[in-house]
Amino acid sequence: MLRNVESALDALAQNALRSVLTLSGIVVGVAAIVLLVAIMQGVKAEVAREAEGLGANMVVIVPSKLDENGQPNAMAMLGRSSLSERDVTALRGVPGVEMVSPVMFVSGSAERKKPDGTKVTVDSALVVATNGQGVRMNPAPLVAGSYFTDESDDHVCMLADSLRSKLFKDEDPIGKSVTIENHPWRVIGVLGKTSMDGSLSGQMLGLGNLIYLPVRTARSEIANLQINRIVLRTDYKHPADAMVNAMTASLLASHQRKEDFGLITMRKGLSLVITMLGLAQHLLVLIATISLFVAGIGIMNIMLVTVTERTREIGVRKTVGARRSDIFLQFLTEAVVLSLVGGLIGIGVAAIICAVIAHTKVLAPIITPAVIGMALAVCSAVGILFGVTPAVRAANLNPIDALRHE
């Protein structure tokens, strides 16, 4: 086999210009495939980040059944909440759920006392008690201080960007106190801005005006708190319908089959993301098939020409004892080597282009070992598929007729 590879490389070197022209088709085809797949991998990663940032993977459980338009019944949510810690525990076991957070509405106002004795009151604040995961589900980055944890039982709080600006303007709020429900709460963390602030999800959740309190302390200090919402973060790659059905089943079991709750989801957004990625993948397969099919025809044509030019050589080899299988394997090996050499060059070209694209910081293509392996496997398949016909023609030549060929 090694001798066949050496012979194939010698044959390619003897017809360098022709080999280069033939290789160009494979190089372009493989480079296009690797580049497009790498770009798609980068797009997938970016879509994942955007899906999380825009709340496409957020689910909100409310304590009332949704109406026919998918909206919660506002009057039904004014009384006693039907949600409980049992629901939170049940939802943690649903496949595709990454984080679960109970949300308790505490107050609609917050007050801060300045050093000069004057007070700043914000009546548009949305004060909620939640766990550590609930704070981290806010897509806004932590810009100052630290998060509180599930075990935190101190009188601490965290402010969203809009509330920080209203209460403290340009001052550093870390370590200062905010009065909520007649209790002082020390600010330990501040969240920054997020693209979700102006989105439907951001408006629905009021993320910009949030003040977070640790649920443990809030329950011990503030009377009559109840779970008003349950917020979940899900894996955007998990099938949306399956997740929603599993959540509904878990809640029904927790509520003794009574549907006194509702799920507000970004189902359409999740489905759209999955559908678009699927379409893009199919498009890549089509492009790869066309480009490599054209390159394969080029290999077959050049190998047929090679067989014609080397007819006398084939006759000599058969005369001295070469079998049909030897001739077949020799020419098939040449076709595969030609295809693989073109594939390796194409991978190198794609890597260079990806590096240039990544340097522009517009997109970050991702070339994985799987992509490289796929490209080489496809090149081998193309060489075999389109090298069989020339190899069979060479193997079937009559040695007498081949020797007479000029």
Side-chain angles (χ1 to χ4, degrees):
M1 184 64 183
L2 183 60
R3 292 182 61 184
N4 283 331
V5 173
E6 292 175 353
S7 176
L9 292 174
D10 289 339
L12 296 178
Q14 290 174 6
N15 297 280
L17 181 59
R18 179 190 297 168
S19 298
V20 168
L21 293 176
T22 305
L23 285 174
S24 62
I26 291 290
V27 170
V28 172
V30 171
I33 294 168
V34 174
L35 182 60
L36 289 172
V37 172
I39 289 175
M40 177 52 61
Q41 293 297 324
V43 169
K44 282 184 177 180
E46 185 63 26
V47 166
R49 287 190 292 270
E50 290 296 324
E52 293 176 2
L54 295 174
N57 59 342
M58 301 290 286
V59 178
V60 180
I61 312 296
V62 297
S64 71
K65 187 176 180 179
L66 304 183
D67 61 23
E68 61 273 8
N69 297 318
Q71 299 300 315
N73 186 329
M75 295 303 296
M77 292 193 296
L78 294 178
R80 187 68 184 171
S81 174
S82 61
L83 304 178
S84 66
E85 284 292 343
R86 186 171 59 252
D87 299 329
V88 176
T89 302
L91 289 168
R92 291 189 195 279
V94 174
V97 173
E98 295 179 340
M99 291 185 179
V100 180
S101 168
V103 176
M104 302 176 182
F105 295 158
V106 177
S107 172
S109 66
E111 185 178 88
R112 176 232 171 171
K113 188 175 182 179
K114 292 184 177 181
D116 61 6
T118 59
K119 296 180 180 180
V120 178
T121 303
V122 178
D123 294 323
S124 60
L126 177 57
V127 185
V128 300
T130 188
N131 59 14
Q133 288 188 345
V135 182
R136 285 172 171 79
M137 268 191 265
N138 190 319
L142 181 71
V143 295
S146 61
Y147 290 102
F148 58 70
T149 65
D150 291 351
E151 291 73 30
S152 178
D153 54 6
D154 296 328
H155 287 73
V156 296
C157 68
M158 295 186 66
L159 306 180
D161 182 73
S162 296
L163 251 295
R164 180 210 59 79
S165 178
K166 293 173 183 176
L167 286 171
F168 294 94
K169 296 190 181 298
D170 297 328
E171 296 180 45
D172 181 7
I174 302 299
K176 295 183 172 64
S177 292
V178 175
T179 301
I180 300 167
E181 292 290 315
N182 299 317
H183 294 281
W185 302 82
R186 179 170 52 88
V187 179
I188 63 167
V190 177
L191 301 177
K193 291 183 179 295
T194 169
S195 59
M196 196 173 175
D197 289 344
S199 70
L200 177 61
S201 299
Q203 293 172 7
M204 179 180 68
L205 299 175
L207 298 182
N209 290 314
L210 278 169
I211 299 181
Y212 291 105
L213 308 181
V215 66
R216 201 175 198 176
T217 308
R219 275 178 164 165
S220 65
E221 296 290 344
I222 303 172
N224 301 320
L225 288 185
Q226 59 181 348
I227 298 178
N228 302 98
R229 302 286 187 275
I230 299 176
V231 181
L232 304 91
R233 190 174 79 182
T234 64
D235 180 358
Y236 83 99
K237 293 176 289 188
H238 203 88
D241 289 341
M243 266 194 297
V244 170
N245 292 338
M247 290 176 195
T248 302
S250 296
L251 290 171
L252 283 173
S254 177
H255 288 239
Q256 288 76 48
R257 313 307 300 175
K258 183 179 180 182
E259 193 175 351
D260 52 355
F261 58 86
L263 279 73
I264 300 175
T265 73
M266 300 297 167
R267 261 174 103 175
K268 291 183 179 179
L270 285 169
S271 299
L272 180 61
V273 168
I274 295 170
T275 301
M276 292 303 294
L277 290 178
L279 290 175
Q281 290 283 30
H282 286 100
L283 179 61
L284 285 178
V285 171
L286 177 61
I287 293 173
T289 302
I290 295 174
S291 60
L292 284 180
F293 183 77
V294 173
I297 292 176
I299 289 178
M300 184 171 64
N301 287 338
I302 201 65
M303 291 306 299
L304 288 172
V305 172
T306 301
V307 170
T308 302
E309 290 180 345
R310 295 165 61 186
T311 299
R312 186 173 179 82
E313 174 193 331
I314 295 170
V316 172
R317 290 197 62 189
K318 285 192 171 185
T319 301
V320 297
R323 297 168 299 178
R324 285 187 175 184
S325 59
D326 297 328
I327 303 298
F328 175 85
L329 187 59
Q330 177 189 353
F331 280 88
L332 185 61
T333 301
E334 287 188 18
V336 174
V337 168
L338 183 66
S339 182
L340 284 175
V341 170
L344 291 171
I345 297 174
I347 291 171
V349 171
I352 294 173
I353 297 175
C354 286
V356 172
I357 294 175
H359 185 69
T360 64
K361 297 182 180 179
V362 175
L363 186 65
I366 301 173
I367 298 180
T368 63
V371 173
I372 295 175
M374 177 203 70
L376 294 177
V378 170
C379 286
S380 300
V382 167
I384 293 172
L385 179 64
F386 290 93
V388 167
T389 298
V392 169
R393 177 174 293 187
N396 288 337
L397 285 176
N398 185 289
I400 303 301
D401 294 336
L403 286 172
R404 290 175 179 174
H405 182 80
E406 293 296 337

